[in-house]
C-alpha cells in the first residue's frame, strides 16, 4: 500500500477525511483492483476508532492527534502511524476603546476604536449611523453643530480579512450650547 505521509492542514470546523490517506496500488488493475476482498478494509486506532475515517471538527478540537491506520485487501496488510494537528478556527476580531459619549454642539467627535485579530489577520474598520442618518459619522473627526443636537447611534464594525466581523454600537449625545429653557 502506498503511504501518504502528510495530511493537509486543518482547522476547527473542517471535515477531515482520514480514509483519503490510504491508496492501493493494485486499484488500477481492472481484473483485480482491490485484492481478494474486492475492497480495502481500513480502520483506525483511538481517537478515531470506529469513525469510518470522517471527522467533522468543532470548536474546542484544536490539538495534536496521534493515531494508526490499518489497511488490508485480504492479501496484504499494512499499518502506519500518523499525526494530525487541528488548529484553532478563525476567531473574531476584538473591538475595544469605544464608549458612549456626550458632547456640546460645536465640539469635535473623534472615535479611536482599537481592533485586534487574535489570529493575526488584517482587519478593516467601518462606521454606520442609525437609520435616520447613516453617514453622520464616517470615521473622520466630526465637528458637531446645533443641527446635530440629539442622540446618534453609531455602529462600528471590525472585519478580518476572512470576513468574520465584530460589531459594537455606541450612542453619541450632542447637547445644545445653551441649555433649553
Amino acid at each position: 500500500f502506498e503511504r501518504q505521509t502528510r495530511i493537509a492542514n486543518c482547522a476547527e470546523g473542517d471535515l477531515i477525511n482520514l480514509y483519503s490517506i490510504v491508496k492501493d496500488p493494485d486499484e488500477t488493475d481492472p481484473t483485480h483492483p482491490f485484492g481478494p476482498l474486492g475492497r480495502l478494509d481500513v480502520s483506525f486506532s483511538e481517537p478515531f476508532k470506529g469513525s469510518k475515517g470522517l471527522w467533522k471538527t468543532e470548536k474546542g478540537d484544536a490539538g495534536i492527534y496521534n493515531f494508526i491506520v490499518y489497511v488490508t485487501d485480504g492479501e496484504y496488510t499494512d499499518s502506519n502511524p500518523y499525526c494530525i494537528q487541528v488548529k484553532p478556527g478563525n476567531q473574531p476580531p476584538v473591538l475595544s476603546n469605544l464608549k458612549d459619549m456626550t458632547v456640546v454642539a460645536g465640539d469635535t467627535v473623534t472615535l479611536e476604536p482599537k481592533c485586534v485579530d487574535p489570529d493575526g489577520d488584517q482587519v478593516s474598520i467601518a462606521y454606520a449611523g442609525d437609520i435616520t442618518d447613516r453617514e453622520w459619522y464616517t470615521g473622520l473627526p466630526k465637528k458637531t453643530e446645533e443641527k446635530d443636537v440629539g442622540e446618534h447611534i453609531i455602529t462600528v464594525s471590525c472585519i478580518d480579512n476572512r470576513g468574520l466581523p465584530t460589531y459594537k454600537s455606541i450612542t453619541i449625545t450632542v447637547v445644545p450650547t445653551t441649555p433649553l429653557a
Side-chain angles (χ1 to χ4, degrees):
F1 298 99
E2 294 178 13
R3 297 176 182 175
Q4 178 180 340
T5 58
R6 181 173 179 261
I7 296 179
N9 287 334
C10 56
E12 293 173 329
D14 289 349
L15 176 66
I16 300 172
N17 181 354
L18 300 173
Y19 194 90
S20 68
I21 64 178
V22 177
K23 182 177 180 182
D24 186 345
D26 293 336
E27 68 187 56
T28 56
D29 177 358
T31 61
H32 208 245
F34 290 109
L37 291 178
R39 68 184 187 284
L40 288 178
D41 278 346
V42 181
S43 61
F44 307 92
S45 69
E46 293 297 340
F48 303 107
K49 190 173 186 174
S51 72
K52 304 285 187 203
L54 294 176
W55 179 30
K56 174 70 171 152
T57 62
E58 299 176 352
K59 186 176 176 96
D61 286 336
I64 295 175
Y65 298 86
N66 294 300
F67 61 100
I68 300 173
V69 177
Y70 304 94
V71 63
T72 184
D73 66 359
E75 182 177 357
Y76 299 104
T77 301
D78 198 4
S79 65
N80 197 38
Y82 286 90
C83 176
I84 61 172
Q85 180 176 10
V86 178
K87 296 180 179 177
N90 188 20
Q91 299 176 59
V94 177
L95 189 55
S96 62
N97 202 35
L98 289 168
K99 60 183 178 180
D100 294 344
M101 64 175 68
T102 300
V103 298
V104 176
D107 288 349
T108 299
V109 173
T110 303
L111 299 181
E112 296 177 348
K114 303 281 187 242
C115 183
V116 178
D117 188 87
D119 303 316
D121 297 333
Q122 291 185 348
V123 294
S124 60
I125 296 177
Y127 304 87
D130 62 22
I131 194 133
T132 61
D133 190 355
R134 295 268 185 222
E135 302 296 321
W136 189 81
Y137 186 85
T138 61
L140 300 173
K142 167 138 180 103
K143 181 154 177 70
T144 60
E145 303 173 19
E146 289 294 329
K147 69 177 184 165
D148 295 318
V149 169
E151 289 187 344
H152 302 274
I153 298 171
I154 306 299
T155 300
V156 180
S157 60
C158 176
I159 304 169
D160 71 12
N161 62 352
R162 294 191 267 175
L164 190 59
T166 297
Y167 302 97
K168 179 165 172 103
S169 292
I170 61 167
T171 301
I172 299 173
T173 304
V174 181
V175 295
T177 54
T178 56
L180 298 175

